[in-house]
Amino acid sequence: MEIKGEQPALRDALLFLREWEDSRDYIEAHTSGSTGTPKKIRLLKSDMILSAMTTCSFFKIAGDSLLFLPLSPGYIAGKMMIVRAAFSGASLLVENPSNNPLKSDPGRDITLCAVVPSQLPSLLKSPYVGRIRNLIIGGAPLSPEYESVLAEHDFNAYVTYGMTETCSHVALRKTGEEYYHALSDISFSTDERGCLTINSAERSFKKLVTNDIVELMDSRTFKWKGRYDNVINTGGIKVFPEEIERKIASAVKERAFFITSRESSKWGREVVLVIEGKEVDADLAGKLEALLEKPERPKEIIYVSAIPRTLSGKIKRNFYPSIQ
């Protein structure tokens, strides 16, 4: 394994590699904090090796491969790219985390690159983007706009499904498609809420219940609908904020936004749309009405100066107590 790249990213990668090679059987990591305060957890190195093995097999990563990491090793996505390189013997190129990745010519084709959605605009404009063969995107939802844009490129682009507790992704969805497909050692089921349960006979967690509501096609394939925590019961009808957001993305266009709810004497809860920035489209409410079913339509559009996000780019939906 060979690691090259920018400082201090190179230093951080080598520090993690030292931790990876020590005598402990676990690595300390932090959860993303998207649904609460980030927590420190211990991940078994044996689980991380299994995760790396399945990803390397899927993307045919071997000793002559090059992996590109423009993410921090402080998070599971960055840690696992280093573990994949260590497991396979592949070379690893690291860059300081920024929204302007792939700033220099890697010198040869990149077998796998991992990014978050905020890095895509600059990445796709890089003169070296043609070097990428496989791209994985995680950490935050991918906009419908970029689902379409990525389909125009020659590389294979996948949206990941996973969490820190599963040592990165356990399923992949090719951009432009609806369904996630399990990695080789993973199977899925659902609980009484309709939430996804992740199963693995080989990994230490064995069975992990999530708060993600899914449409399960079979034991290895699902369509993600939204978070159980975010479901809005309005007038006795359950609506999914994430589904509404996908429907209205073309109308709101490139602005940051999210769907939430607030108390209502008439409906119990009512849908609210929060948009970052000032009002620029006086007819937006009319456009939304044409795109949404009646229970999904926002009762108010609220404009804010900035939407708070986690370090990985996820919107903190419950940040505004005045709306809730």
Side-chain angles (χ1 to χ4, degrees):
M1 174 190 179
E2 179 185 39
I3 305 181
K4 293 182 178 180
E6 299 177 333
Q7 294 283 6
L10 182 58
R11 178 205 63 202
D12 292 343
L14 291 171
L15 284 173
F16 171 74
L17 194 59
R18 187 184 305 169
E19 183 182 3
W20 175 252
E21 293 173 344
D22 70 22
S23 60
R24 296 181 301 175
D25 65 353
Y26 65 87
I27 288 289
E28 289 188 341
H30 289 83
T31 58
S32 67
S34 58
T35 57
T37 304
K39 297 181 297 183
K40 181 185 286 188
I41 61 173
R42 290 181 175 181
L43 301 175
L44 291 181
K45 291 178 180 178
S46 57
D47 284 346
M48 297 173 79
I49 290 171
L50 279 169
S51 175
M53 187 186 305
T54 56
T55 298
C56 287
S57 174
F58 185 89
F59 290 109
K60 297 179 172 56
I61 297 168
D64 59 351
S65 299
L66 175 63
L67 309 185
F68 175 55
L69 176 61
L71 302 172
S72 169
Y75 291 91
I76 190 62
K79 294 181 192 299
M80 285 307 305
M81 285 294 281
I82 299 171
V83 175
R84 290 166 197 144
F87 170 79
S88 65
S91 297
L92 180 68
L93 176 64
V94 297
E95 272 189 1
N96 296 326
S98 75
N99 283 335
N100 184 31
L102 201 55
K103 295 185 284 291
S104 58
D105 189 348
R108 57 191 175 103
D109 285 354
I110 296 167
T111 303
L112 183 64
C113 169
V115 296
V116 294
S118 62
Q119 293 176 307
L120 286 172
S122 291
L123 177 70
L124 297 179
K125 293 176 183 177
S126 167
Y128 313 112
V129 70
R131 291 283 197 181
I132 297 173
R133 291 291 158 261
N134 298 288
L135 180 71
I136 53 176
I137 308 116
L142 181 64
S143 71
E145 174 195 2
Y146 277 99
E147 291 271 355
S148 302
V149 169
L150 287 166
E152 298 172 3
H153 287 265
D154 292 335
F155 52 69
N156 298 307
Y158 296 86
V159 178
T160 64
Y161 177 86
M163 56 208 74
T164 305
E165 294 87 337
T166 60
C167 303
S168 188
H169 55 263
V170 292
L172 296 167
R173 176 178 65 80
K174 198 162 189 179
T175 52
E177 298 180 358
E178 289 187 314
Y179 296 101
Y180 287 87
H181 301 276
L183 294 184
S184 57
D185 68 311
I186 299 293
S187 65
F188 300 118
S189 54
T190 53
D191 66 7
E192 66 281 357
R193 303 169 300 162
C195 289
L196 186 72
T197 298
I198 304 168
N199 309 295
S200 175
E202 299 179 51
R203 303 196 199 191
S204 63
F205 60 77
K206 302 301 181 187
K207 179 179 180 179
L208 185 62
V209 179
T210 76
N211 279 335
D212 290 306
I213 296 177
V214 301
E215 179 183 334
L216 195 68
M217 305 307 294
D218 55 47
S219 64
R220 294 182 51 77
T221 311
F222 69 87
K223 178 181 178 181
W224 186 76
K225 299 188 73 175
R227 294 282 296 177
Y228 182 80
D229 326 54
N230 297 334
V231 172
I232 301 168
N233 189 326
T234 178
I237 298 172
K238 291 181 180 179
V239 297
F240 299 92
E242 295 90 346
E243 286 196 336
I244 298 174
E245 288 161 6
R246 287 192 288 272
K247 289 181 180 181
I248 67 174
S250 60
V252 183
K253 297 183 178 177
E254 297 180 4
R255 308 181 73 188
F257 71 94
F258 69 98
I259 290 289
T260 186
S261 68
R262 65 186 177 194
E263 289 187 6
S264 165
S265 57
K266 182 176 182 180
W267 306 108
R269 304 291 296 181
E270 62 184 15
V271 176
V272 175
L273 169 61
V274 180
I275 299 178
E276 189 171 73
K278 298 179 180 180
E279 181 178 356
V280 294
D281 185 352
D283 191 39
L284 180 58
K287 293 176 181 177
L288 300 184
E289 186 172 341
L291 293 169
L292 299 171
E293 300 295 327
K294 190 173 182 179
E296 299 174 318
R297 295 169 188 164
K299 296 297 187 290
E300 185 179 357
I301 301 173
I302 298 174
Y303 295 88
V304 298
S305 58
I307 294 176
R309 295 170 175 80
T310 66
L311 290 175
S312 63
K314 293 179 182 177
I315 287 173
K316 294 183 178 180
R317 292 176 179 269
N318 299 322
F319 185 81
Y320 297 101
S322 60
I323 296 175
Q324 304 297 315

